[in-house]
Amino acid sequence: MSDSPNSTTTRHELLFLNYFRLAQALVYVGLAFTPAGMGWPHLDSAGLARLVAVVYLLFAIAIVSINHMTRALGWLAILGTLFVDIGAAVLAIAAMNDARIGIAMMLAVNLAAGALLLPLRLALFLAALATLGVLGRTLLSLPHMASADDRDVLESGLFGIAYFSIVVLCNVLGRQLRASEALAEQRSIDLVNLSQVNELIIRRMKTGVMLVDDANRIHQINESAWMLLGNPSSDQRDLGRVAPELSRRLYHWITSGKLDETATQLADGMPEVIPRFSRLAPNDDSLVLIFLDDTSLVSRRAEELTLSSLGRLSASIAHEIRNPLAAIRYSAQLLAESTDMNPTDLRMVEIINNHCSRLNEIIENILQLSRRERSRPETLNLGDWSHSFVEEYKQGNDLGADSLRVIDNSASPVVAVADPQQLQQVIWNLVQNALRYGRMPGESARVMVVVRHGEHGVPILEVIDRGPGIAPKVAAQIFEPFYTTHEYGTGLGLYLARQMAEANQAALEYVRVAGGGSCFRLVLTPPARIEPAV
């Protein structure tokens, strides 16, 4: 078939054909059983006419019933029913010659419906079959009909031409109709999808969006606006009750055309917003869009832009500082090698070297802040990796009385996916801070690197110390850039550690230890859940 039998258009066309066939059969019955006194039509074979009419009527009723039960017919079934239509029409013309024109015209409707439902080659085959049937019946009846002449042959030939023309025209129109229907259906699907996408975008927007009518009633509201209004109940649609200040500003904007751009808080505990208004149509206040810009998001974006600019500026300055700093350090080292130096001068040289090392550490942190290198994750056994890290750290740093050890009591290996170089930088930074600040007054630092499985088997790496811990107010800000409580700190260590953790799809958080101490917990990604780094 030129279209699926289950499509809406095909079902309608098939339903029309079946009901037309039923009406056609009723016409045959009416003609075949016309009272003899009427005189028209003259039945050349009354028995044949009535048999054809009754059988065709039963066939039409059966096809209508089948179509209602199955809702669809295959093209072979449709082709078979059209064969029956042609055969019944040819027999009806043979039995009721007076009604041949009307019967032949009704057969054209059957062929037209078939052209809509079937491929063009099959439709042309049916037209040829109908033409042969009508023309053959006329040619066969000429020797036996006293009133027959060449006009009957011409008439049958013209019907054949009409059959072919109708079939071609209906098939072309049917294809165009189906193409238009498919295009309209695709456009409808695209429109629905676009509407859903737009609705999802508006619902998930960080900016609050509301649609308010001229009666001050809220028609639509997205999630951000709902939260900024203090999570009102769904039945509260009066803007004057939900947000009186916003309603006042809307009225002021409509009446005066001036927008109050000062920040305001619409509900207790919610951030301040800056409302903006826009009409859906020019000079029409029946529907107004209200946009609520969260000032905290604006401040955060400004902070990110400032931080990015500051990072680039700091990196350029750090590059300029590096060369003279290297020269100072090299000169100090040459002075320290001199045999003529007294103890006081040696102490001064040591101070120069210490501050050069500190400046170099600051420069390295600033350069790391600006570089943000892409992670190259590998599968790591955290137990083996932690032991190697601790041994390497001890070899490169004199711990003195301080202690650094690994605790790995897991029954099975703790495996994670991370960039080993970036992971080493994160843990090195955490261990360095723990050894520096995680000690009680007058006591040695005791730092542990704990390897364990978390909930659902998530790999966890923890750096724990037994120091005084971090005050809650300070703990809330320790991961912010340039925040430090130490006079010689840069405030970039923990910030960089968290940035590198996030680059490896890990989470770094501070956990206060009961009984004193601090814990920096790094929740890594197991191998089965790793995603490509961006």
Side-chain angles (χ1 to χ4, degrees):
M1 292 184 63
S2 58
D3 193 23
S4 169
N6 295 318
S7 70
T8 303
T9 302
T10 302
R11 286 200 300 268
H12 289 167
E13 293 168 353
L14 188 57
L15 193 63
F16 167 79
L17 174 60
N18 291 334
Y19 277 107
F20 176 79
R21 181 183 292 113
L22 182 60
Q24 190 177 20
L26 291 174
V27 171
Y28 290 176
V29 170
L31 293 174
F33 290 92
T34 301
M38 292 187 63
W40 191 93
H42 173 72
L43 302 179
D44 299 297
S45 176
L48 177 62
R50 290 168 182 171
L51 177 63
V52 170
V54 172
V55 173
Y56 191 56
L57 177 62
L58 295 176
F59 172 75
I61 294 173
I63 293 299
V64 170
S65 301
I66 292 172
N67 190 23
H68 276 288
M69 288 187 295
T70 62
R71 293 306 228 177
L73 291 175
W75 68 269
L76 286 175
I78 296 173
L79 186 63
T81 59
L82 290 171
F83 281 152
V84 174
D85 293 338
I86 295 172
V90 172
L91 292 176
I93 291 173
M96 299 176 286
N97 187 62
D98 289 353
R100 65 184 182 279
I101 296 178
I103 296 173
M105 290 178 63
M106 286 193 292
L107 180 60
V109 177
N110 298 80
L111 296 175
L116 293 173
L117 294 167
L118 299 173
L120 180 60
R121 286 182 295 179
L122 288 178
L124 290 174
F125 172 71
L126 290 173
L129 190 64
T131 301
L132 290 175
V134 173
L135 189 60
R137 176 262 161 199
T138 301
L139 294 175
L140 291 175
S141 63
L142 282 177
H144 308 288
M145 296 176 62
S147 60
D149 54 24
D150 293 339
R151 287 181 302 174
D152 292 338
V153 178
L154 178 61
E155 184 181 273
S156 299
L158 292 176
F159 271 118
I161 295 174
Y163 290 160
F164 280 99
S165 302
I166 289 172
V167 162
V168 173
L169 178 62
C170 289
N171 188 268
V172 172
L173 292 177
R175 287 203 301 268
Q176 293 179 352
L177 177 64
R178 283 173 175 78
S180 301
E181 182 189 23
L183 181 61
E185 185 177 357
Q186 184 61 43
R187 292 288 185 271
S188 176
I189 294 173
D190 293 341
L191 185 61
V192 171
N193 292 337
L194 182 61
S195 176
Q196 292 176 348
V197 170
N198 290 338
E199 183 180 355
L200 180 61
I201 292 173
I202 293 173
R203 190 168 66 246
R204 297 295 185 183
M205 280 175 59
K206 297 299 182 182
T207 300
V209 180
M210 290 191 299
L211 182 65
V212 180
D213 62 12
D214 53 358
N216 219 27
R217 182 174 178 79
I218 301 173
H219 280 264
Q220 293 183 0
I221 182 171
N222 70 346
E223 293 178 1
S224 297
W226 180 73
M227 292 179 62
L228 292 171
L229 292 177
N231 306 335
S233 59
S234 58
D235 58 342
Q236 292 182 353
R237 291 290 178 176
D238 187 356
L239 184 62
R241 293 184 178 180
V242 174
E245 174 62 19
L246 187 60
S247 177
R248 185 194 66 78
R249 294 196 183 193
L250 175 60
Y251 176 77
H252 177 72
W253 176 76
I254 292 175
T255 54
S256 66
K258 297 181 180 179
L259 178 63
D260 186 355
E261 296 185 356
T262 58
T264 182
Q265 189 178 36
L266 301 179
D268 294 337
M270 294 293 111
E272 292 185 339
V273 297
I274 299 176
R276 293 182 291 111
F277 309 102
S278 175
R279 295 179 177 90
L280 284 185
N283 302 321
D284 184 9
D285 295 329
S286 59
L287 290 174
V288 176
L289 275 174
I290 302 178
F291 300 93
L292 303 176
D293 294 324
D294 187 349
T295 56
S296 63
L297 295 177
V298 176
S299 300
R300 196 175 305 152
R301 293 192 191 103
E303 181 182 341
E304 290 175 355
L305 290 174
T306 303
L307 183 61
S308 176
S309 301
L310 183 60
R312 290 193 294 269
L313 176 62
S314 301
S316 62
I317 295 175
H319 278 294
E320 296 298 327
I321 294 175
R322 217 169 190 180
N323 291 333
L325 180 63
I328 293 171
R329 189 170 187 178
Y330 180 68
S331 299
Q333 289 175 349
L334 290 178
L335 283 174
E337 294 175 359
S338 175
T339 57
D340 300 332
M341 297 284 291
N342 57 51
T344 302
D345 292 338
L346 287 175
R347 175 58 183 163
M348 293 300 175
V349 171
E350 183 181 357
I351 292 174
I352 293 174
N353 283 326
N354 290 337
H355 282 280
C356 286
S357 299
R358 178 171 169 268
L359 281 174
N360 187 65
E361 182 181 347
I362 294 173
I363 291 173
E364 288 296 331
N365 286 336
I366 292 174
L367 292 177
Q368 285 184 25
L369 178 66
S370 62
R371 279 196 293 260
R372 294 291 300 276
E373 296 179 356
R374 181 176 179 177
S375 64
R376 296 175 176 82
E378 299 178 8
T379 302
L380 303 174
N381 184 323
L382 293 184
D384 296 341
W385 183 90
S386 299
H387 283 92
S388 300
F389 169 81
V390 169
E391 291 299 324
E392 183 179 348
Y393 189 90
K394 289 180 178 179
Q395 292 175 4
N397 299 271
D398 184 13
L399 297 181
D402 297 335
S403 66
L404 175 63
R405 59 195 180 99
V406 177
I407 297 178
D408 182 8
N409 297 326
S410 303
S412 58
V414 180
V415 181
V417 177
D419 185 327
Q421 183 177 357
Q422 293 185 354
L423 180 61
Q424 181 167 3
Q425 293 178 14
V426 172
I427 302 302
W428 189 93
N429 200 327
L430 297 178
V431 169
Q432 188 80 358
N433 286 344
L435 291 171
R436 182 179 300 170
Y437 308 114
R439 66 177 71 227
M440 299 301 291
E443 297 183 6
S444 302
R446 293 177 296 164
V447 180
M448 296 169 287
V449 178
V450 180
V451 180
R452 65 182 181 88
H453 286 291
E455 188 176 358
H456 306 300
V458 176
I460 292 178
L461 202 57
E462 295 175 327
V463 177
I464 303 175
D465 62 62
R466 292 299 179 184
I470 303 176
K473 291 184 179 179
V474 176
Q477 306 176 67
I478 57 176
F479 290 106
E480 295 181 4
F482 306 111
Y483 178 82
T484 180
T485 58
H486 196 273
E487 58 179 336
Y488 297 120
T490 62
L492 290 175
L494 290 177
Y495 173 76
L496 290 171
R498 172 170 278 187
Q499 293 294 309
M500 283 186 283
E502 291 177 353
N504 286 270
Q505 302 181 22
L508 178 61
E509 59 180 348
Y510 170 75
V511 181
R512 189 172 179 84
V513 179
S518 300
C519 171
F520 285 89
R521 180 175 297 160
L522 184 64
V523 181
L524 294 152
T525 304
R529 288 171 44 192
I530 192 67
E531 299 175 1
V534 178

